[in-house]
Every structure is written in structure tokens, then in C-alpha cells.
Amino acid sequence: MMEFPLLLRTFLWRAARFFPKKEIVSVYGNEVFRYTYGDYYKRVCQLAHALKSLGIKKGDHVASFSLNNHRHLELYYGVPCSGAVLHTVNPRLPLNHLAYIINHAEDQVVFIDEDLLFMFEPVKDLLKTVKHFVIMSQSGKIPQTSLSPVHSYDELIAPFPEEYDFPVDLDEWSPAFICYTSATTGDPKGVVYTHRGLVLHTYAAGVTLGIKEGDCVLHIVPMFHANAWGGPLGGVAFGCKQILPGRDILNMEGICKVIAKEKVTFTAGVPTIWMMLYDYLEKGGWHDFSTLKAIYSGGAACPRYLMEGFNEKYGFPIVQAYGMTETAPLALAALPKSYMADWPMDKLYDIRSSAGLIAPGLEIKIVNDQGKEAKWDGKEWGEIMLRGPWIAKEYYKDPERSKPYFEGGWLHTGDVGTIDEEGYVRLVDRTKDLVKSAGEWISSVDLENAIMSHPKVMEAAVIGVPHPKWQERPLACVVPAMGQTVTEEELKEYLKDKVKAAWWIPDRFIFLKEIPKTSVGKFSKKDLRVLYAEGKLETKA
């Protein structure tokens, strides 16, 4: 066989050569911008020339600080295909973490979305390695800024040729992207994705999720978060029509209109997005989901009531998937096997509400407290461990913190789960979020899902709090559904036949207007614990 490196440039070449008429659509407020893969390729070539003119060489790091739009998509291929490394910066991180990751990655150029410039300005004086700032503006003008030297993206790339000789001699193990975790403790940790890893991840995601050239993919997952779960890379590789919603990601009416108008077939997002959409629909929001084939939910467990409600009321088929920054991110997907087609719906929902089956190309084991592999019985708990060609092997420039997470050649995920006789994994909890009461473990995830199945509840997060007798007890933080009132007594009664044992039921329920979220939309239990310790958790609903 040929010694031919697995490089992202092959995906870029394929899209330009075979699908030059297919559309890429960006939504900018009241303006919708459309162009083709043929146009896209020309601008990616111009970008590669522009990077060279700024002094960017093979292996140099270039940062993006952007929403989901066509210029960001150009960076997705223009930077790594030219031999540099794209660092997708999460703009929702606190100021000290933003400065830390840009300095730690040693980024030399930062591409900044015009709509996010106000968020970047405060960090500029803390940066040590950045030599150029480039503003990506749909208006074509550079807003007033104190950044220097500063360039306009379109003006920067415009003078350059629309062809570029992308290197074919890159090592497939060369870094292509770097993404940092949103740290719950300490500084964020960097994860490097190689060309080889991303090419194999894209193949596996396409096979697992069934993405085809005829699909229209709506990118709701932010492009700064684990490569938008690989969606933009796969969209180009398979020649899909792509929709980039920009700042309209959280506009449920706008999302529904885009799905209908552009005939979206595939999208993905965290459960928080689907909770917001469900609330919009329950209030009578307009929708047309007739073209949707699959909607993937990840980042946290998707409540079963949400899956059932969407599917049975609105024909909105949610499939749960599991992954993390360290897994690039797809690791598991909850798709039923072919011979399960005739199973009762209740059993199928059990499958779909699991974390899923391991993606082809990866290996998994679940290890219990005694260091032995857990039985495949769906009951014995253990830590989920993964390995494979797109799983990280260490954290960037962080050998000490890498050791416990990658010991023995496996990624120690920190997630606790079970695996059943069919091979489906079910998440029990994060190791740090398990509640230990009287020496027994309580799953906060199971409790949250049970509470959120109550029709009057919108969101629920459970944390363990100290108890003088039982060591810890679960505390439930609950957001009632819009226009609803629910009491502690009502929820305790409801949970009696929904949880493993009566002692799982929380002693206290605190009702809030909202639950704090992390930068990627997950419940922030760290913030809830701090609020509890400071005595600031009180009824706010």
C-alpha cells in the first residue's frame, strides 16, 4: 500500500473538486450570506497566502475568537492545511483563563469576530506572544479598537491568488488543532488534535452518524468547543450543505425558521439548547421539522422526558452521544441495533437515553474501585476508560497533570458508568459529582433525570452537601417550568417510585430562577457548591 499521509487537505480538495456548487450559508442578524464550496476554496487559498505574509510558518499557532460563520470555517481548513495549528478560543472563559490559554498556546495571530471584539479588548494587555490581530467583519470595516497591529480579514486576504500549493509532505502526526478544556479547577488543559486523528475521527463520525453528501448540517455547537464536535470538518469532507447561525444560535424562533427554510437534516447541541427549544414549542412556537433525520445531543445527559416529548409531539428525533474534549470528541452514540427495530418503544427509549455504543475504531473498558473490569450486566459501576487513534495521549505542555488522566495508555475519563450485555454504556455520574451517603453512592445524574421528568420542572441539578450523620446528602436545585409552581413535598412524593431507593430522595429542594451554566452550557455544579458554601443558595423562583 502507498505511504500516503492522512491530512485534512484531502477533504478540502474533495469539496472543491467534486462539490463546487454546494452551498455554505452564514446568518448575520438580518443578513444571510451564501456562497459555494468553489468560492470557499478560493478564499481558503487566499487565507493561506495571507498567513504566510504575516510570518506564520509550519507548526505556528493561530487563534480564532469567533462565532459560527463562514470566515471561521475558512480558518478551520486554511490554517491546518497550510501547516499551522488552529487554536479555537472559547470566548465565554473568564478573563484570566483567556489570557492563560492564549499565552500557553503561544498564539502569534488572533482572528477576532467583529461581534466579539468587546469581549477580547480587556485581555489584550495580558498577551505575550500575539503579533497580529485580524478582525473578521461582515460589514468590511474595522470597528474602533485599541488593538495593534490590526487588519481587516477581507482586506488582508483579497490581494492574494485564489490557488495555493498546500503541502503534501506534512507528517500526519502533525498538530492541526488545539482546544482547551473549560477548567472546573485550576487552569484549562490543552488538547492537541493531529491531522491523522481528525481524519480518522471524521470517517468514524460519518459512519456512526450516517452523514451523507445530501445532508444539510446546522452547526449549533459553538465552533470553539471541541471543533464543534467535528461537524464543520465532516461537512466539508462529505460535501454537505452547511448552515452557520452566528449569534442566532440561542434564538429558538430563528433556529426553527432556518431548519424549515434550508431543509436541515442534521444538527447537534447540548441538552440546554433542546430544553430551550422544547419550552419555545410548548408555548406554541412555529416549526417545521419535516426534513430532520437526526439530532444529536451531548455534553451532558439528555433527560428522557425531553426525548419522548420531542419525538411524540413534534417528530424531533433526538439521539444521545458521548464524548469530551480529550476524545475529539465522538466516543459513543446511542443508536439501536438493527434487530431492535421491533422492540417496544419503552425499551428503545432505554437504549436512546444511554450514552451509547463505542464508535468504530475505539476501545472501552469500565474499571471498578478494585481496579477490575466491571461486568457487562448494566449494574456494576466503574470509571469509563477509552483508547484509540483520535483519543488524546497527554495534555499540551502539562506532563504532571497528564499522568493520572492517561495512566496505562488509557484515557481515564472521570465519568462513572455501567455497560450492559449489549454493550451500551449508561452514565452514572462524574466521579466528583457522586454523592456518598452513609457509605453508599447516589447518582446525581439519575436523580436529575428523575426530577426533570416531572411536568412542572424545567431544569434540575443535584449536588452533595455535608451532613453530620450521613457524611453527605443530595441537595436538589430546581427551576420550575415557565408559569408553573411546584413544591418540595410534591417532588418528594413524585420521586418515591422513580429512584433506586427512598434514601436517594433529597432532603431539601431549592427553587431557583436559573441554574448557573459553564461556558459550554452544562450545569455548573462547581458554582452551586460555592454558592451553598457561602450561604447564597436560596429560593429565587
Side-chain angles (χ1 to χ4, degrees), residues 166-187:
F166 291 103
V168 296
D169 59 347
L170 283 178
D171 187 327
E172 64 181 20
W173 295 96
S174 298
F177 281 71
I178 183 169
C179 186
Y180 282 75
T181 63
S182 51
T184 53
T185 57
D187 292 320

PDB file of all heavy atoms in Angstrom, residues 166-187:
ATOM      1  N   PHE A 166      -0.972  23.592  -1.141  1.00  0.00           N
ATOM      2  CA  PHE A 166      -0.974  23.100   0.234  1.00  0.00           C
ATOM      3  C   PHE A 166       0.008  21.947   0.356  1.00  0.00           C
ATOM      4  O   PHE A 166       0.051  21.060  -0.511  1.00  0.00           O
ATOM      5  CB  PHE A 166      -2.385  22.646   0.639  1.00  0.00           C
ATOM      6  CG  PHE A 166      -3.355  23.777   0.781  1.00  0.00           C
ATOM      7  CD1 PHE A 166      -4.298  24.037  -0.210  1.00  0.00           C
ATOM      8  CD2 PHE A 166      -3.319  24.599   1.894  1.00  0.00           C
ATOM      9  CE1 PHE A 166      -5.191  25.086  -0.095  1.00  0.00           C
ATOM     10  CE2 PHE A 166      -4.209  25.657   2.022  1.00  0.00           C
ATOM     11  CZ  PHE A 166      -5.142  25.901   1.025  1.00  0.00           C
ATOM     12  N   PRO A 167       0.824  21.948   1.376  1.00  0.00           N
ATOM     13  CA  PRO A 167       1.876  20.929   1.492  1.00  0.00           C
ATOM     14  C   PRO A 167       1.315  19.517   1.579  1.00  0.00           C
ATOM     15  O   PRO A 167       0.368  19.258   2.316  1.00  0.00           O
ATOM     16  CB  PRO A 167       2.613  21.323   2.772  1.00  0.00           C
ATOM     17  CG  PRO A 167       1.649  22.177   3.538  1.00  0.00           C
ATOM     18  CD  PRO A 167       0.820  22.876   2.518  1.00  0.00           C
ATOM     19  N   VAL A 168       1.945  18.618   0.798  1.00  0.00           N
ATOM     20  CA  VAL A 168       1.545  17.207   0.836  1.00  0.00           C
ATOM     21  C   VAL A 168       2.531  16.393   1.660  1.00  0.00           C
ATOM     22  O   VAL A 168       2.323  15.199   1.883  1.00  0.00           O
ATOM     23  CB  VAL A 168       1.461  16.621  -0.593  1.00  0.00           C
ATOM     24  CG1 VAL A 168       0.385  17.316  -1.386  1.00  0.00           C
ATOM     25  CG2 VAL A 168       2.812  16.718  -1.302  1.00  0.00           C
ATOM     26  N   ASP A 169       3.610  17.066   2.098  1.00  0.00           N
ATOM     27  CA  ASP A 169       4.653  16.347   2.829  1.00  0.00           C
ATOM     28  C   ASP A 169       4.563  16.548   4.342  1.00  0.00           C
ATOM     29  O   ASP A 169       5.500  16.270   5.076  1.00  0.00           O
ATOM     30  CB  ASP A 169       6.043  16.780   2.335  1.00  0.00           C
ATOM     31  CG  ASP A 169       6.287  18.276   2.516  1.00  0.00           C
ATOM     32  OD1 ASP A 169       5.304  19.007   2.787  1.00  0.00           O
ATOM     33  OD2 ASP A 169       7.445  18.700   2.380  1.00  0.00           O
ATOM     34  N   LEU A 170       3.421  17.039   4.801  1.00  0.00           N
ATOM     35  CA  LEU A 170       3.227  17.141   6.251  1.00  0.00           C
ATOM     36  C   LEU A 170       3.171  15.739   6.855  1.00  0.00           C
ATOM     37  O   LEU A 170       2.595  14.826   6.263  1.00  0.00           O
ATOM     38  CB  LEU A 170       1.919  17.868   6.584  1.00  0.00           C
ATOM     39  CG  LEU A 170       1.856  19.386   6.448  1.00  0.00           C
ATOM     40  CD1 LEU A 170       0.440  19.863   6.777  1.00  0.00           C
ATOM     41  CD2 LEU A 170       2.851  20.062   7.368  1.00  0.00           C
ATOM     42  N   ASP A 171       3.712  15.590   8.029  1.00  0.00           N
ATOM     43  CA  ASP A 171       3.564  14.342   8.768  1.00  0.00           C
ATOM     44  C   ASP A 171       2.116  14.265   9.259  1.00  0.00           C
ATOM     45  O   ASP A 171       1.585  15.236   9.799  1.00  0.00           O
ATOM     46  CB  ASP A 171       4.539  14.346   9.952  1.00  0.00           C
ATOM     47  CG  ASP A 171       4.593  13.017  10.685  1.00  0.00           C
ATOM     48  OD1 ASP A 171       3.554  12.324  10.756  1.00  0.00           O
ATOM     49  OD2 ASP A 171       5.666  12.680  11.193  1.00  0.00           O
ATOM     50  N   GLU A 172       1.469  13.130   9.058  1.00  0.00           N
ATOM     51  CA  GLU A 172       0.071  13.009   9.504  1.00  0.00           C
ATOM     52  C   GLU A 172      -0.070  13.153  11.014  1.00  0.00           C
ATOM     53  O   GLU A 172      -1.166  13.416  11.518  1.00  0.00           O
ATOM     54  CB  GLU A 172      -0.525  11.688   9.047  1.00  0.00           C
ATOM     55  CG  GLU A 172       0.128  10.448   9.644  1.00  0.00           C
ATOM     56  CD  GLU A 172      -0.495   9.153   9.142  1.00  0.00           C
ATOM     57  OE1 GLU A 172      -1.150   9.162   8.082  1.00  0.00           O
ATOM     58  OE2 GLU A 172      -0.324   8.136   9.832  1.00  0.00           O
ATOM     59  N   TRP A 173       1.032  13.000  11.735  1.00  0.00           N
ATOM     60  CA  TRP A 173       1.004  13.194  13.184  1.00  0.00           C
ATOM     61  C   TRP A 173       1.186  14.667  13.560  1.00  0.00           C
ATOM     62  O   TRP A 173       1.208  15.006  14.740  1.00  0.00           O
ATOM     63  CB  TRP A 173       2.083  12.354  13.858  1.00  0.00           C
ATOM     64  CG  TRP A 173       1.868  10.881  13.725  1.00  0.00           C
ATOM     65  CD1 TRP A 173       2.413  10.048  12.801  1.00  0.00           C
ATOM     66  CD2 TRP A 173       1.028  10.065  14.533  1.00  0.00           C
ATOM     67  NE1 TRP A 173       1.974   8.758  12.973  1.00  0.00           N
ATOM     68  CE2 TRP A 173       1.114   8.736  14.053  1.00  0.00           C
ATOM     69  CE3 TRP A 173       0.208  10.312  15.631  1.00  0.00           C
ATOM     70  CZ2 TRP A 173       0.423   7.670  14.606  1.00  0.00           C
ATOM     71  CZ3 TRP A 173      -0.491   9.248  16.192  1.00  0.00           C
ATOM     72  CH2 TRP A 173      -0.381   7.953  15.692  1.00  0.00           C
ATOM     73  N   SER A 174       1.311  15.531  12.550  1.00  0.00           N
ATOM     74  CA  SER A 174       1.464  16.966  12.826  1.00  0.00           C
ATOM     75  C   SER A 174       0.205  17.511  13.486  1.00  0.00           C
ATOM     76  O   SER A 174      -0.923  17.149  13.102  1.00  0.00           O
ATOM     77  CB  SER A 174       1.719  17.739  11.532  1.00  0.00           C
ATOM     78  OG  SER A 174       2.909  17.334  10.922  1.00  0.00           O
ATOM     79  N   PRO A 175       0.352  18.421  14.457  1.00  0.00           N
ATOM     80  CA  PRO A 175      -0.820  19.051  15.072  1.00  0.00           C
ATOM     81  C   PRO A 175      -1.618  19.840  14.036  1.00  0.00           C
ATOM     82  O   PRO A 175      -1.037  20.489  13.158  1.00  0.00           O
ATOM     83  CB  PRO A 175      -0.226  19.980  16.132  1.00  0.00           C
ATOM     84  CG  PRO A 175       1.149  19.454  16.387  1.00  0.00           C
ATOM     85  CD  PRO A 175       1.606  18.875  15.085  1.00  0.00           C
ATOM     86  N   ALA A 176      -2.940  19.784  14.133  1.00  0.00           N
ATOM     87  CA  ALA A 176      -3.827  20.545  13.259  1.00  0.00           C
ATOM     88  C   ALA A 176      -4.644  21.557  14.049  1.00  0.00           C
ATOM     89  O   ALA A 176      -4.842  22.697  13.613  1.00  0.00           O
ATOM     90  CB  ALA A 176      -4.759  19.605  12.497  1.00  0.00           C
ATOM     91  N   PHE A 177      -5.145  21.134  15.208  1.00  0.00           N
ATOM     92  CA  PHE A 177      -5.957  21.986  16.084  1.00  0.00           C
ATOM     93  C   PHE A 177      -5.459  21.829  17.513  1.00  0.00           C
ATOM     94  O   PHE A 177      -4.867  20.801  17.872  1.00  0.00           O
ATOM     95  CB  PHE A 177      -7.423  21.552  16.063  1.00  0.00           C
ATOM     96  CG  PHE A 177      -8.221  22.007  14.875  1.00  0.00           C
ATOM     97  CD1 PHE A 177      -8.002  21.464  13.610  1.00  0.00           C
ATOM     98  CD2 PHE A 177      -9.224  22.951  15.010  1.00  0.00           C
ATOM     99  CE1 PHE A 177      -8.737  21.853  12.513  1.00  0.00           C
ATOM    100  CE2 PHE A 177      -9.981  23.362  13.923  1.00  0.00           C
ATOM    101  CZ  PHE A 177      -9.739  22.815  12.667  1.00  0.00           C
ATOM    102  N   ILE A 178      -5.734  22.835  18.319  1.00  0.00           N
ATOM    103  CA  ILE A 178      -5.574  22.699  19.760  1.00  0.00           C
ATOM    104  C   ILE A 178      -6.795  23.323  20.416  1.00  0.00           C
ATOM    105  O   ILE A 178      -7.274  24.385  19.989  1.00  0.00           O
ATOM    106  CB  ILE A 178      -4.264  23.340  20.274  1.00  0.00           C
ATOM    107  CG1 ILE A 178      -4.107  23.115  21.773  1.00  0.00           C
ATOM    108  CG2 ILE A 178      -4.195  24.826  19.936  1.00  0.00           C
ATOM    109  CD1 ILE A 178      -2.731  23.481  22.310  1.00  0.00           C
ATOM    110  N   CYS A 179      -7.337  22.626  21.391  1.00  0.00           N
ATOM    111  CA  CYS A 179      -8.533  23.086  22.096  1.00  0.00           C
ATOM    112  C   CYS A 179      -8.299  22.901  23.589  1.00  0.00           C
ATOM    113  O   CYS A 179      -7.734  21.894  24.012  1.00  0.00           O
ATOM    114  CB  CYS A 179      -9.748  22.286  21.634  1.00  0.00           C
ATOM    115  SG  CYS A 179     -11.319  22.872  22.298  1.00  0.00           S
ATOM    116  N   TYR A 180      -8.733  23.871  24.366  1.00  0.00           N
ATOM    117  CA  TYR A 180      -8.549  23.805  25.816  1.00  0.00           C
ATOM    118  C   TYR A 180      -9.870  23.460  26.510  1.00  0.00           C
ATOM    119  O   TYR A 180     -10.938  23.910  26.096  1.00  0.00           O
ATOM    120  CB  TYR A 180      -8.012  25.129  26.360  1.00  0.00           C
ATOM    121  CG  TYR A 180      -6.532  25.325  26.123  1.00  0.00           C
ATOM    122  CD1 TYR A 180      -6.052  25.659  24.861  1.00  0.00           C
ATOM    123  CD2 TYR A 180      -5.607  25.154  27.153  1.00  0.00           C
ATOM    124  CE1 TYR A 180      -4.691  25.823  24.625  1.00  0.00           C
ATOM    125  CE2 TYR A 180      -4.242  25.315  26.932  1.00  0.00           C
ATOM    126  CZ  TYR A 180      -3.793  25.651  25.673  1.00  0.00           C
ATOM    127  OH  TYR A 180      -2.443  25.809  25.448  1.00  0.00           O
ATOM    128  N   THR A 181      -9.755  22.656  27.570  1.00  0.00           N
ATOM    129  CA  THR A 181     -10.925  22.318  28.373  1.00  0.00           C
ATOM    130  C   THR A 181     -11.385  23.554  29.124  1.00  0.00           C
ATOM    131  O   THR A 181     -10.595  24.454  29.411  1.00  0.00           O
ATOM    132  CB  THR A 181     -10.592  21.219  29.387  1.00  0.00           C
ATOM    133  OG1 THR A 181      -9.592  21.727  30.293  1.00  0.00           O
ATOM    134  CG2 THR A 181     -10.056  19.981  28.706  1.00  0.00           C
ATOM    135  N   SER A 182     -12.668  23.605  29.451  1.00  0.00           N
ATOM    136  CA  SER A 182     -13.171  24.664  30.338  1.00  0.00           C
ATOM    137  C   SER A 182     -12.975  24.155  31.755  1.00  0.00           C
ATOM    138  O   SER A 182     -13.754  23.342  32.247  1.00  0.00           O
ATOM    139  CB  SER A 182     -14.631  24.975  30.042  1.00  0.00           C
ATOM    140  OG  SER A 182     -15.404  23.794  30.019  1.00  0.00           O
ATOM    141  N   ALA A 183     -11.937  24.607  32.399  1.00  0.00           N
ATOM    142  CA  ALA A 183     -11.497  24.030  33.672  1.00  0.00           C
ATOM    143  C   ALA A 183     -12.503  24.262  34.785  1.00  0.00           C
ATOM    144  O   ALA A 183     -13.043  25.358  34.933  1.00  0.00           O
ATOM    145  CB  ALA A 183     -10.148  24.622  34.066  1.00  0.00           C
ATOM    146  N   THR A 184     -12.754  23.205  35.577  1.00  0.00           N
ATOM    147  CA  THR A 184     -13.554  23.360  36.789  1.00  0.00           C
ATOM    148  C   THR A 184     -12.654  23.671  37.976  1.00  0.00           C
ATOM    149  O   THR A 184     -13.081  24.284  38.943  1.00  0.00           O
ATOM    150  CB  THR A 184     -14.368  22.082  37.072  1.00  0.00           C
ATOM    151  OG1 THR A 184     -13.476  20.960  37.086  1.00  0.00           O
ATOM    152  CG2 THR A 184     -15.413  21.866  35.985  1.00  0.00           C
ATOM    153  N   THR A 185     -11.404  23.223  37.910  1.00  0.00           N
ATOM    154  CA  THR A 185     -10.406  23.575  38.920  1.00  0.00           C
ATOM    155  C   THR A 185      -9.087  23.839  38.210  1.00  0.00           C
ATOM    156  O   THR A 185      -8.763  23.172  37.226  1.00  0.00           O
ATOM    157  CB  THR A 185     -10.204  22.437  39.946  1.00  0.00           C
ATOM    158  OG1 THR A 185      -9.819  21.239  39.264  1.00  0.00           O
ATOM    159  CG2 THR A 185     -11.482  22.182  40.730  1.00  0.00           C
ATOM    160  N   GLY A 186      -8.323  24.790  38.684  1.00  0.00           N
ATOM    161  CA  GLY A 186      -7.033  25.079  38.085  1.00  0.00           C
ATOM    162  C   GLY A 186      -7.168  25.711  36.714  1.00  0.00           C
ATOM    163  O   GLY A 186      -8.238  26.177  36.303  1.00  0.00           O
ATOM    164  N   ASP A 187      -6.051  25.741  35.984  1.00  0.00           N
ATOM    165  CA  ASP A 187      -6.042  26.322  34.637  1.00  0.00           C
ATOM    166  C   ASP A 187      -6.595  25.320  33.628  1.00  0.00           C
ATOM    167  O   ASP A 187      -6.495  24.108  33.818  1.00  0.00           O
ATOM    168  CB  ASP A 187      -4.614  26.693  34.245  1.00  0.00           C
ATOM    169  CG  ASP A 187      -4.064  27.843  35.083  1.00  0.00           C
ATOM    170  OD1 ASP A 187      -4.834  28.780  35.359  1.00  0.00           O
ATOM    171  OD2 ASP A 187      -2.878  27.789  35.466  1.00  0.00           O
TER     172      ASP A 187
END
